[in-house]
Amino acid sequence: MPQSLDVDQILKRARPITDQRAHEIQPFGHLVRMPIALDATVCQESVENLNQLLADTMTLRDMYKKHHWQVAGPTFYSLHLLFDKHYKEQSELVDEIAERIQLLGGVSVAMAHDVADTTLIPRVPKGREEVPVQISRLLHAHEIVLREARSMARIAADKGDEGTNDLLVSSVVRTNELQAWFVGEHVVDVPTVRASERAEGS
């Protein structure tokens, strides 16, 4: 005779187990030893440097999205698109930096409140600002990130951490230099030549 099914027991097993709590499996600031042929002290220094850079990159990324939403004026369309493009590129850098930290045996900074406590980039107001102010803030943030990345790349190279050096030079520095160029050109004070002046010069 077939055994009767206990529906309540089946449903109980199918229900997600919620409200679970436990100790962290790896506290922030502590490394696990990874088999990557790098000394633990080298990994520790790179992780600390990269977490600072990660917090600043996440802040810069979010500044681009804020300005993407709030940009106004005659350059709205071009900057709206440019800011979103840069946001996506910074998001890719965030992933690369965070994964490098994990690869080195560390724990990546991740949550907004921790990023806000860590970043060196000045806090941006909640309200909407004029385009030149938005761009000035972005350029200042790029300089902070570039200064950090170049310094950290030299340290990584000196310590034999070529993977971190390569990430910093080929991805972080390259991307931020290009973005600073593209954004900075929008606030160059180029004199406008009127049609009458062009006619006189011809």
Side-chain angles (χ1 to χ4, degrees):
M1 185 173 178
Q3 194 174 10
S4 61
L5 296 174
D6 186 338
V7 176
D8 288 337
Q9 197 62 29
I10 292 171
L11 290 176
K12 185 178 178 182
R13 292 178 63 186
R15 187 172 59 239
I17 303 170
T18 58
D19 297 320
Q20 299 186 64
R21 298 288 184 272
H23 292 295
E24 297 171 331
I25 61 171
Q26 183 181 352
F28 185 82
H30 294 261
L31 267 64
V32 295
R33 193 79 179 95
M34 301 297 283
I36 55 173
L38 272 178
D39 188 79
T41 58
V42 174
C43 293
Q44 182 74 48
E45 186 171 18
S46 287
V47 164
E48 289 172 5
N49 286 339
L50 288 171
N51 260 320
Q52 180 62 62
L53 184 67
L54 178 59
D56 294 325
T57 301
M58 292 170 84
T59 303
L60 177 54
R61 174 202 63 188
D62 292 346
M63 286 172 66
Y64 268 115
K65 184 57 81 172
K66 177 187 192 296
H67 297 330
H68 162 77
W69 290 327
Q70 297 177 359
V71 67
T75 56
F76 167 81
Y77 185 70
S78 60
L79 286 177
H80 182 72
L81 296 180
L82 181 66
F83 288 167
D84 206 42
K85 177 179 180 290
H86 285 190
Y87 166 83
K88 290 170 184 171
E89 292 169 354
Q90 289 292 331
S91 292
E92 290 176 11
L93 287 181
V94 165
D95 256 358
E96 289 183 57
I97 297 166
E99 288 171 0
R100 181 68 191 171
I101 291 167
Q102 299 295 143
L103 185 153
L104 290 165
V107 176
S108 306
V109 68
M111 300 307 296
H113 53 271
D114 296 319
V115 171
D117 288 342
T118 306
T119 186
L120 299 175
I121 295 172
R123 187 165 182 164
V124 181
K126 289 182 181 178
R128 196 180 202 183
E129 296 182 294
E130 295 180 15
V131 167
V133 177
Q134 291 177 328
I135 289 177
S136 292
R137 289 188 185 281
L138 289 167
L139 291 174
H140 183 223
H142 277 299
E143 280 204 301
I144 289 171
V145 168
L146 283 164
R147 195 174 295 117
E148 287 177 324
R150 291 191 187 109
S151 173
M152 293 171 184
R154 287 192 293 271
I155 292 169
D158 289 344
K159 299 291 175 68
D161 184 359
E162 287 84 2
T164 296
N165 173 267
D166 180 63
L167 166 66
L168 293 169
V169 174
S170 64
S171 292
V172 177
V173 171
R174 175 81 175 145
T175 298
N176 279 276
E177 284 180 342
L178 280 170
Q179 289 189 354
W181 175 40
F182 273 80
V183 170
E185 289 298 316
H186 283 81
V187 285
V188 172
D189 188 17
V190 178
T192 303
V193 179
R194 291 187 292 272
S196 59
E197 293 173 335
R198 282 199 299 270
E200 289 171 10
S202 59

